[in-house]
Amino acid sequence: MPKESAAALCDPPYTPRFCKAFNKNEKILPQIARQDVLMFYPFESMEPFLRMLSEAATDPGVLSIKITIYRLASKARIAEYLCAAAENGKQVVVLMELRARFDEQNNIEWAERLEEPGCTILYGFEGIKVHSKVCLITRRDRGTGSLHYPDRYGEL
C-alpha cells in the first residue's frame, strides 16, 4: 500500500496535553499538597510526573520514594531522578518487573544501575506480572498540615 494511502487511513500522531490541574509555572509538589490530582496517561503528558520526581529528589522534606516500574527506555529520566534521590539520602524502593515484553535486558541493566547509588530493588513475583504504575512519595511537612494531619497524629 502506498504511504499516501496508509496515511489517509491513520489518525495524526497524538500529542499528550499538559494536565490542566497544574500550573506549568509553579512547582508540582506544592500543587499536589493543596489538592489531589488524577492524571490520565497516555492522554496527558508525563511531564508533571517527571517534574514531581525531580523535585522530590532534591526536596529536603522528602523521606522516601517507592515506585513500581514495568518498562524503562534506554534513556529514562525517571531512573535518573530516582538515582539522584538515593544519592541525596532518600530511601528509594523500586519494584522492577523483569518480564516486560522485549525489554527484559534493558530492565535488568537499569536495576543494576539503580542499585549503585543505593536504591533498593525488588523484582517481580514468580507467576505474577506487575504491570501497575504506582508511586508513593513520603514527605515530612511541618507547616501546612496538607500532607499529614498534626491535629490527629501529632507532629511528625
Side-chain angles (χ1 to χ4, degrees), residues 127-138:
I128 299 173
K129 187 179 255 190
V130 178
H131 201 164
S132 63
K133 281 79 173 174
V134 179
C135 179
L136 172 66
I137 297 173
T138 305

Side-chain angles (χ1 to χ4, degrees), residues 19 37 42 44 47 51 58 80 84-85 89 103 120 122 131 137 146 155:
C19 179
V37 176
E44 292 179 323
E47 192 59 32
R51 283 179 44 192
T58 58
E80 292 171 20
D103 281 336
T120 300
L122 307 172
H131 201 164
I137 297 173
S146 58
E155 264 321 296

Side-chain angles (χ1 to χ4, degrees), residues 17-151:
R17 66 180 175 91
F18 197 87
C19 179
K20 290 180 182 179
F22 291 115
N23 177 343
K24 288 182 182 182
N25 301 317
E26 187 181 342
K27 288 189 171 195
I28 298 295
L29 286 177
Q31 292 183 71
I32 60 172
R34 289 193 300 268
Q35 70 177 20
D36 292 336
V37 176
L38 181 61
M39 293 180 281
F40 298 92
Y41 303 114
F43 308 106
E44 292 179 323
S45 168
M46 287 287 294
E47 192 59 32
F49 178 73
L50 294 169
R51 283 179 44 192
M52 180 184 68
L53 277 181
S54 175
E55 292 171 21
T58 58
D59 185 324
V62 169
L63 304 173
S64 68
I65 301 172
K66 299 174 182 176
I67 189 168
T68 60
I69 295 177
Y70 178 73
R71 172 181 288 134
L72 286 174
S74 58
K75 288 190 174 195
R77 289 171 39 201
I78 288 175
E80 292 171 20
Y81 299 146
L82 294 173
C83 288
E87 289 168 351
N88 288 327
K90 282 99 174 70
Q91 177 193 41
V92 178
V93 180
V94 178
L95 174 66
M96 178 74 75
E97 179 56 66
L98 293 182
R99 295 176 303 139
R101 190 176 308 164
F102 309 116
D103 281 336
E104 293 85 356
Q105 187 59 41
N106 192 51
N107 279 6
I108 291 168
E109 290 169 9
W110 269 117
E112 291 170 353
R113 288 169 62 184
L114 286 163
E115 285 178 330
E116 289 172 14
C119 297
T120 300
I121 307 298
L122 307 172
Y123 297 99
F125 306 101
E126 186 176 337
I128 299 173
K129 187 179 255 190
V130 178
H131 201 164
S132 63
K133 281 79 173 174
V134 179
C135 179
L136 172 66
I137 297 173
T138 305
R139 184 174 188 278
R140 178 174 291 162
D141 184 4
R142 296 191 181 271
T144 64
S146 58
L147 296 179
H148 68 92
Y149 302 94
D151 54 335

